Structure formats: C-alpha cells, structure tokens
Amino acid sequence: MWKTFTIDENIYMLKVVDSDNNVEIYLSNLTTIWTCILSQEALVENFQECNPAIEQTPEEYLQHAKNLLNEVESAEVKIICNDGISNLKLIIKTNLTSNFKFKLKLELDFTLAEVKLFTEKMTIPLIQTIILLEKQQKMMKNLLLKKDRELDEYQMEKGEISRSDLITEKFNTESLITASNTLMLNVFQNHAEDIKKIYGTVEEKIEEVEVESWNSVKKKRKIYNKETADRTKVSKIVYHGETTIKQEN
C-alpha cells in the first residue's frame, strides 16, 4: 500500500514490496519515480549502521526497518537530492515503540527509474482505481434505488414510518453527475477489458446489484373508504327461462 507524506509542501508517496529475498522500495513525487531495491541482509546492515546502539536479532532489525518505512506518514522525513534528481537520499526518524528512549533512523539511497516504471507503478494503478470506484458507485446507486422501492412498498402496505429520525429523502441519481473538464470520470469504463488484457486484472470484490424491471414502475396505493364505489359483485343465472339474481360481497 502506498504511503503519502509531505515535505516542504511537496507531496511524496512511498511503497514497500517484499519480493523473494529482496525488499523493493518505490518513491514518487507524482511526476517521477525512484527505486531502492535491497536484499533483506542489506536492509538489516543499513538499519544497524543507522542505529548502532541497538543490539537485537537480524529478524528484529528487519522488522524495525520495515516498521520505519510503514510509519513514514507520521515520521520525521527528509529528502536530500544528489546529482539533480537522478539520486535521492531518504532519511526517516521516528519513535516506533516505548522500548527505545531515542528515535530510530533509516537512510536509503534511491535511483531515478525509467518512465515505463512510473506508468506501471503509478499511472496504471490509478486508472484501475478509477474503474473500480466507478463500478462500486454503480453498485451503490442500484442498491439505493432498490432500497427506495423497498421503502415505497413498506409505506403502501404498512403506512408511514413512525420514527422521524429514520425518514430519508429519495436518492437522486442526478446528484452523481459532475460536469468537469478536469476530472477523469466515465473515461475508462468502455476500455476496462482492454486495460485488463494489457496490464493485468485487479483483485476486486463487487456485488452485482441490478434494478429489476418491476422496480422501475412505481405502484399506486389503493385505499378503500366510504367514497369508494360499491364492490358488490352481481351475477345473473338463468334456469329454464327463469332469471335469478345473486349478489356476492
């Protein structure tokens, strides 16, 4: 999962991925991406060098280093640029637990990655996120429409809801329409399958909710009172030329 933090009003994002015996760390400022790929042993050595006062097992060193990276959003973070933007040094300091009376520290060197990696790690996941959110929005919209019809049915059969705090306004689908030339809404849905074929699928769990055909037609409540027409049924039976009138309620 990406972690977001700010330095001097600049937004950065950090992601840690465990890959076999390596730890892949990605750093981005939303326009560029840098990488730092270390073996677990190298990350342990790095942590030991930054925190020489701590004496623990390699497994604990490794866990502390990963915890530092995961706490980047609330930690003291500094970025030092070397050779322009080609190389960066990321410095993280924070208090992980109360067991230490001092802040733990981690320093990592990042290298500028190619543009295609930015597309793979940032652009495509953002597009896939938009597609997923729009699918979820469609599901929630249909669910709300069904709930409104369910309430209509209840009110037609049982009457108005007695508790005022449970009464809600009907869902207005027009409220979801946003006219914007900046936002990228309703852009990728028609090409979602193409994106899956090229860049792979995304784990998603979305319940399909369809508004049934009966749900699109609002029913009218029938109320019978003294002004309602007489519902007595009159039938005529003929026996050998004689007529008998029979009334049924």
Side-chain angles (χ1 to χ4, degrees):
M1 179 182 294
W2 286 97
K3 303 288 184 179
T4 306
F5 59 97
T6 304
I7 300 177
D8 297 330
E9 298 184 352
N10 294 314
I11 298 175
Y12 291 89
M13 299 180 70
L14 185 79
K15 183 177 182 180
V16 181
V17 178
D18 287 318
S19 177
D20 296 328
N21 193 43
N22 293 331
V23 179
E24 300 177 4
I25 309 167
Y26 301 96
L27 176 67
S28 176
N29 61 355
L30 302 182
T31 59
T32 310
I33 191 167
W34 296 266
T35 60
C36 175
I37 301 177
L38 300 172
S39 65
Q40 292 184 358
E41 292 77 10
L43 184 57
V44 167
E45 291 177 5
N46 184 302
F47 181 83
Q48 285 180 295
E49 291 176 2
C50 293
N51 305 275
I54 300 177
E55 294 184 3
Q56 291 184 329
T57 64
E59 291 76 14
E60 290 174 314
Y61 288 140
L62 180 62
Q63 190 58 52
H64 287 323
K66 290 182 178 180
N67 289 342
L68 272 166
L69 292 168
N70 288 327
E71 294 291 332
V72 68
E73 291 177 314
S74 58
E76 296 178 17
V77 185
K78 184 177 181 180
I79 291 180
I80 301 175
C81 298
N82 298 319
D83 301 328
I85 63 171
S86 298
N87 298 287
L88 300 180
K89 181 180 288 292
L90 177 69
I91 303 173
I92 306 173
K93 292 182 180 180
T94 188
N95 290 316
L96 284 179
T97 65
S98 58
N99 296 332
F100 302 110
K101 296 181 179 180
F102 51 87
K103 293 182 178 180
L104 298 182
K105 179 181 177 183
L106 189 64
E107 295 186 6
L108 298 171
D109 293 318
F110 286 80
T111 304
L112 181 66
E114 297 181 3
V115 175
K116 66 179 182 180
L117 186 65
F118 182 86
T119 302
E120 176 188 342
K121 298 297 181 181
M122 296 292 295
T123 306
I124 297 305
L126 286 172
I127 292 174
Q128 292 170 330
T129 301
I130 292 172
I131 293 173
L132 176 61
L133 290 175
E134 288 182 342
K135 285 183 179 179
Q136 291 176 334
Q137 184 189 65
K138 180 181 178 182
M139 182 269 288
M140 291 300 297
K141 182 190 74 172
N142 289 342
L143 184 60
L144 287 171
L145 290 173
K146 291 187 71 172
K147 285 295 182 183
D148 279 345
R149 278 300 287 125
E150 184 180 348
L151 286 172
D152 284 344
E153 290 293 319
Y154 175 85
Q155 290 173 347
M156 284 189 288
E157 295 179 7
K158 305 294 184 180
E160 296 295 328
I161 297 175
S162 59
R163 289 181 55 180
S164 59
D165 59 316
L166 296 180
I167 298 176
T168 59
E169 296 291 334
K170 282 188 176 296
F171 175 64
N172 180 16
T173 56
E174 298 294 324
S175 64
L176 297 178
I177 299 176
T178 303
S180 173
N181 293 325
T182 304
L183 300 178
M184 302 179 73
L185 299 174
N186 303 314
V187 174
F188 304 107
Q189 283 295 344
N190 293 335
H191 300 281
E193 293 303 319
D194 296 332
I195 293 173
K196 285 183 180 180
K197 290 178 182 178
I198 299 172
Y199 299 105
T201 59
V202 178
E203 293 183 10
E204 56 183 50
K205 187 177 180 181
I206 302 176
E207 180 182 353
E208 292 293 334
V209 178
E210 296 293 338
V211 181
E212 294 88 343
S213 57
W214 65 266
N215 214 25
S216 60
V217 180
K218 186 176 181 180
K219 297 180 181 180
K220 293 183 178 180
R221 184 181 182 186
K222 294 182 180 180
I223 302 176
Y224 296 99
N225 52 36
K226 63 181 180 180
E227 297 179 356
T228 304
D230 186 8
R231 290 179 290 156
T232 301
K233 182 179 179 181
V234 179
S235 58
K236 183 170 69 173
I237 305 174
V238 179
Y239 294 100
H240 304 291
E242 296 181 1
T243 301
T244 301
I245 304 298
K246 183 180 179 182
Q247 293 185 346
E248 296 179 355
N249 292 326

